[in-house]
Each structure stands twice: as C-alpha cells, then as structure tokens.
C-alpha cells in the first residue's frame, strides 16, 4: 500500500484510527449526505398526492426502513474502516468488486451531471445567465470541493446544512401561514391521491441506492457507536426534513418542484441558495463516491479520478439531463441488492469479523455473489411490494443460503481479524 501514503481519503485501504472523526464532524458529514436533492423533489410529489397525516406516516415508516438499512452498513464501515467498494471485495472477490464499483461509479457520475443541470436550468430562467456558463461554474466548484475529500465535505456540510435548514423552514412557515396555520395545512386534500404503499416505495426508493454508499462516509467514524448513531439520526432528521421542505410548499401551491414553490413565494434569492447548496452537497457526495469506485478498479488515487469524473459530468450535464435520467434511474435499481449481499456476508457468513484487508488474499470473482445480485435485481422488478426492499431482503437471504449450502465455499484460513 505504499502508493497510497499521500491518499488522505484512503481509497484503497482502511481508514487508520488517527484519521477518524468524532461525533460532531461525522454528524455534519452524514447530514450533508442525507440533505439529498431527490428527497426534496420526492417530498414535493408526496405533498401533492397525500394528505398531511398519510404523508407523515409514509415518511416515518420510510425513514425507519432507510435508517435501519444504512445503520447496518455504517456499523460495518465504522468497524472495518472500509468503503463500499473495498467491502465488496470480501463478498464479490477482487475483480468481482469491479462490477460493484463500475455500477456505482457510472451512476454517480451520471447523477452528478444531472445535478449540475438541475441547478443551472432554473437559475438560468430566473437570472437570464447563460445556462452553459452556470453549468461550467457549478461543475468546477463542485468538483473542486470533492477533490479535497472528506475535509471539504465536512466544511461544506457545516455551511450548507444549517443554511438549507433555515431557508427550508422559512419556506414551510410561509406556506403554513398562507393557509391559516397547521389546521389549514391538515385540511388540504390532494386532487389525485397516492396509496400509502406507493408513497412508501417513493420514500425508500428515492435514497436506498445512495444509502448503499453509506460506508464511503461512515468509515471515518471513530467508533461503531458514532457511525451508527450519526447515520441513523441523519436519516430520521435530515432526510425527513428534506421530505417536509419539499412537501409542505407543494401541498399549498400545487407545485412539486421546491424551486418553483420558492419562486412563487417570492423567495428567488433564497431559492437559488437552497437549490445550490442542496445540489452541491448531493453532487459532492456523488463525485466523491464515484472517485472511490473507480479507484478500486484502476488503483489510482481518488482525487485524480474526481477531477476526471467531474469534467465528464460537467461536459455531459445537459445531455445527461435530457437523455439519461430514466436510464440512470434504471441503473440505480441495480444497486440495493449489493447492500443486502454486503450485510449478509459480514454479519452471517463471516460472523461479524473480517480479516485485515492488507493481509487478506481475495479470490478473483465470487460467482455466487454475482448470481445472488442478479436474483436480487429480478426480485426488485417482479415481486410485489417495495422494489428496493425486495432486492435487499432477497439478496440477503439468497446469499446466505448459497454460501452456506455451497460445497465450494472457501473459508478464510487466517485468524487475523480487524479489532473493534
């Protein structure tokens, strides 16, 4: 691992204990992670399709599911210090993990480009600034902060999280006041209603793919308690706030887009700020995660790959926005099964202990994991219920059965274990 000494984001190794962070720093990072732009837009759709009581129920149940799923991943990452991509080596094999990294990396670069366009287009309409100029500026700024890694993500989150919270809260207060208070808000009935099942699918589905990347950030936690607590709190607090910020204004105005809501409220400058900060934190996390993914494949430092990925995402922003949102959504449906396999491999197959990655000799490809992943993806598509949950649970169960029953399963011969 000599080539990684200057890699302060530890792309290809476990995060050493002296580089790990305490509760407040990790809380800022994880809140920045869960202040996710898609959650605000999903919240807007829920706000126009549910009454207030059903909305709160859906968000509560959805974030219980998301919080539980990501907390398992945070526990593993906090204990091992490993990213999603390095954890995948234990279950998928050395080269098998490249499939995971490629899938995650490609989707994250794609969403980065879409996010840049999502910021530039509405701002261009309001300010008349050329949309491509805005794309260039936004892409450069977002790439720059992602380049500097976890330290920049922490600083950005410390600035962005309270800004988004204050501006979002003011928008909610303004919307509630315009309908005569909470009684007026709870009296609003949507013109076209969503079922609770559909709403729950939207809540969970909006972030479970991104949540699979939780280890990329939680691995910097000083201990398991901090990793799990900050992750769980961030999903219940941060993700719930994003849904609420998107939903309340949408219910009152009938507009699902948070930027449109704030424009109608006369909050043009705050709208640009909240839109910019929200997408910035989302995009930096996406670019950071994509860098880790391609680093696992190429063995190059993450920061060099972040620059390349940022350029690709920025140059292709409008093309990605206009042509590939559906395709990226389709690819994202492939991701949740990966988390189910990682959780099953660590907690059940490996009984909660992994050999140090520096000492571990990985098989090239664990075809049983890849077959399980395919079955999980098919379960998401064809089984009734909540698609991403079907993927996670099916992959979890099938992987355990396949690994336990397979006579070709090779147990690790070393007793060297990662200390808690």
């Amino acid at each position: 691992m000599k080539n990684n000494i200057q890699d302060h984001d530890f792309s290809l190794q476990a995060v050493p204990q002296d580089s790990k962070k305490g509760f407040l720093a990790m809380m800022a990072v994880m809140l920045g992670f869960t202040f996710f732009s898609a959650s605000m837009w999903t919240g807007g759709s829920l706000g126009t399709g549910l009454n207030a009581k059903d909305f709160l129920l859906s968000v509560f149940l959805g974030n219980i599911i998301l919080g539980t799923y990501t907390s398992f991943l945070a526990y593993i990452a906090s204990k091992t210090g490993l990213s999603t991509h390095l954890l995948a080596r234990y279950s998928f094999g050395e080269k098998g993990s490249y499939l995971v990294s490629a899938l995650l990396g490609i989707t994250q670069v794609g969403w980065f480009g879409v996010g840049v366009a999502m910021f530039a287009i509405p701002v261009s309409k309001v300010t008349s600034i050329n949309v491509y100029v805005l794309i260039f500026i936004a892409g450069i700024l977002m790439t720059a902060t992602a380049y500097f890694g976890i330290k920049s993500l922490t600083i950005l989150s410390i600035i962005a999280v309270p800004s988004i919270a204050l501006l979002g809260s003011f928008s909610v207060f303004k919307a509630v006041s315009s309908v005569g208070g909470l009684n007026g808000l709870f009296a609003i009935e949507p013109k076209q209603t969503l079922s609770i099942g559909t709403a729950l699918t939207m809540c969970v589905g909006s972030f479970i793919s991104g949540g699979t990347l939780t280890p990329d950030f939680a691995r910097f936690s000083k201990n398991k308690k901090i990793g799990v607590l900050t992750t769980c709190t961030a999903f219940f607090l941060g993700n719930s706030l994003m849904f609420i910020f998107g939903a309340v204004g949408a219910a009152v105005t009938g507009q699902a887009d948070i930027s449109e809501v704030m424009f109608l409220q006369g909050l043009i400058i705050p709208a640009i700020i909240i839109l910019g900060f929200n997408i910035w934190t989302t995009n930096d996390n996406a670019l950071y995660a994509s860098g880790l993914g391609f680093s696992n494949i190429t063995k190059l430092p993450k920061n060099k790959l972040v620059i390349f990925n940022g350029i690709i995402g920025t140059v292709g922003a409008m093309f990605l926005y206009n042509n590939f949102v559906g395709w990226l959504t389709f690819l994202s449906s492939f991701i949740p099964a990966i988390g189910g396999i990682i959780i099953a491999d660590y907690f059940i197959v490996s009984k909660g202990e992994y050999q140090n990655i520096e000492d571990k000799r990985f098989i090239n490809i664990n075809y049983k994991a890849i077959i399980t992943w395919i079955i999980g993806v098919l379960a998401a598509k064809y089984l009734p219920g909540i698609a991403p949950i079907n993927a996670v649970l099916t992959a979890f169960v099938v992987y355990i059965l396949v690994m336990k029953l397979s006579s070709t399963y090779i147990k690790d011969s070393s007793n060297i274990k990662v200390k808690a």
Side-chain angles (χ1 to χ4, degrees):
M1 293 292 176
K2 291 181 181 179
N3 60 329
N4 297 318
I5 292 175
Q6 300 302 317
D7 183 3
H8 299 296
D9 284 297
F10 311 102
S11 312
L12 299 172
Q13 64 189 96
V15 178
Q17 193 62 34
D18 60 2
S19 294
K20 293 195 172 187
K21 301 180 180 297
F23 179 83
L24 292 179
M26 286 308 303
M27 191 76 254
V29 170
M30 296 311 296
L31 279 173
F33 179 47
T34 57
F35 272 40
F36 181 45
S37 53
S39 295
M40 295 185 79
W41 272 267
T42 302
S45 298
L46 294 175
T48 58
L50 296 172
N51 60 41
K53 291 181 181 178
D54 288 343
F55 167 78
L56 292 174
L57 177 62
S58 299
V59 170
F60 177 73
L61 293 176
N63 281 327
I64 284 179
I65 295 170
L66 283 171
T68 302
Y69 172 66
T70 54
S71 291
F72 278 119
L73 292 172
Y75 179 97
I76 301 170
S78 302
K79 185 174 180 182
T80 63
L82 300 176
S83 67
T84 307
H85 312 280
L86 297 185
L87 288 172
R89 292 186 185 181
Y90 289 86
S91 48
F92 286 81
E94 173 78 30
K95 293 183 178 178
S97 70
Y98 297 173
L99 170 67
V100 174
S101 294
L103 179 62
L104 291 170
I106 290 170
T107 54
Q108 294 308 302
V109 172
W111 283 120
F112 173 84
V114 171
V116 171
M118 285 173 64
F119 168 75
I121 291 170
V123 173
S124 177
K125 289 179 180 177
V126 173
T127 63
S128 297
I129 299 174
N130 183 278
V131 68
Y132 291 100
V133 171
L134 289 169
I135 285 174
F136 175 78
I137 294 172
I140 292 297
L141 289 174
M142 293 173 186
T143 300
T145 48
Y147 171 84
F148 291 105
I150 197 71
K151 291 183 178 180
S152 287
L153 293 181
T154 304
I155 295 170
L156 177 62
S157 296
I158 289 172
I159 297 170
V161 166
S163 300
I164 297 169
L166 287 171
L167 291 171
S169 297
F170 183 71
S171 175
V172 168
F173 174 79
K174 195 173 178 68
V176 172
S177 298
S178 70
V179 292
L182 289 176
N183 289 334
L185 179 66
F186 276 79
I188 295 175
E189 290 294 334
K191 294 179 180 178
Q192 294 181 335
T193 58
L194 295 170
S195 68
I196 293 293
T198 299
L200 196 56
T201 299
M202 292 171 66
C203 286
V204 176
S206 67
F207 205 1
I208 194 166
S209 294
T212 304
L213 293 166
T214 295
D216 292 354
F217 309 97
R219 64 197 175 111
F220 282 93
S221 302
K222 276 189 179 295
N223 54 52
K224 301 185 294 292
K225 183 177 180 180
I226 290 175
V228 172
L229 185 58
T230 54
T231 297
C232 193
T233 302
F235 273 90
F236 278 107
L237 179 61
N239 207 39
S240 294
L241 282 176
M242 291 299 98
F243 284 126
I244 291 169
F245 291 162
V248 174
V252 173
T253 65
Q255 296 289 331
D257 189 328
I258 182 64
S259 60
E260 292 291 340
V261 170
M262 297 187 80
F263 291 157
L264 289 172
Q265 292 176 328
L267 303 172
I268 295 176
I269 299 302
I272 292 173
I273 294 172
I274 193 172
L275 184 67
F277 270 142
N278 189 252
I279 291 176
W280 197 339
T281 57
T282 299
N283 269 13
D284 262 26
N285 288 319
L287 207 56
Y288 178 83
S290 72
L292 292 176
F294 289 120
S295 180
N296 181 45
I297 298 172
T298 64
K299 312 307 178 193
L300 294 172
K302 181 230 71 176
N303 53 3
K304 293 181 179 178
L305 293 165
V306 159
I307 295 175
F308 177 78
N309 294 344
I311 292 171
I312 295 296
T314 301
V315 170
M318 284 299 291
F319 182 74
L320 288 163
Y321 181 83
N322 290 325
N323 297 280
F324 279 96
V325 171
W327 174 239
L328 289 169
T329 302
F330 173 69
L331 283 180
S332 295
S333 68
F334 287 11
I335 295 174
I338 293 169
I341 292 170
I342 290 174
I343 293 170
D345 187 74
Y346 181 80
F347 285 106
I348 308 300
V349 176
S350 299
K351 297 181 171 58
E353 293 288 349
Y354 272 161
Q355 183 181 351
N356 288 318
I357 195 167
E358 292 84 0
D359 304 311
K360 174 74 174 176
R361 296 182 63 183
F362 296 100
I363 62 173
N364 275 334
I365 300 174
N366 181 7
Y367 290 100
K368 295 180 284 294
I370 293 176
I371 292 170
T372 299
W373 169 71
I374 293 171
I375 293 172
V377 171
L378 292 174
K381 182 172 178 60
Y382 294 109
L383 291 183
I386 302 172
I389 297 302
N390 290 341
V392 172
L393 294 180
T394 299
F396 179 86
V397 173
V398 171
Y399 184 79
I400 293 170
L401 291 175
V402 169
M403 294 301 286
K404 291 294 185 181
L405 296 175
S406 174
S407 59
T408 60
Y409 171 55
I410 303 173
K411 292 184 178 180
D412 186 47
S413 58
S414 173
N415 290 321
I416 303 175
K417 299 177 180 178
V418 178
K419 294 183 179 179

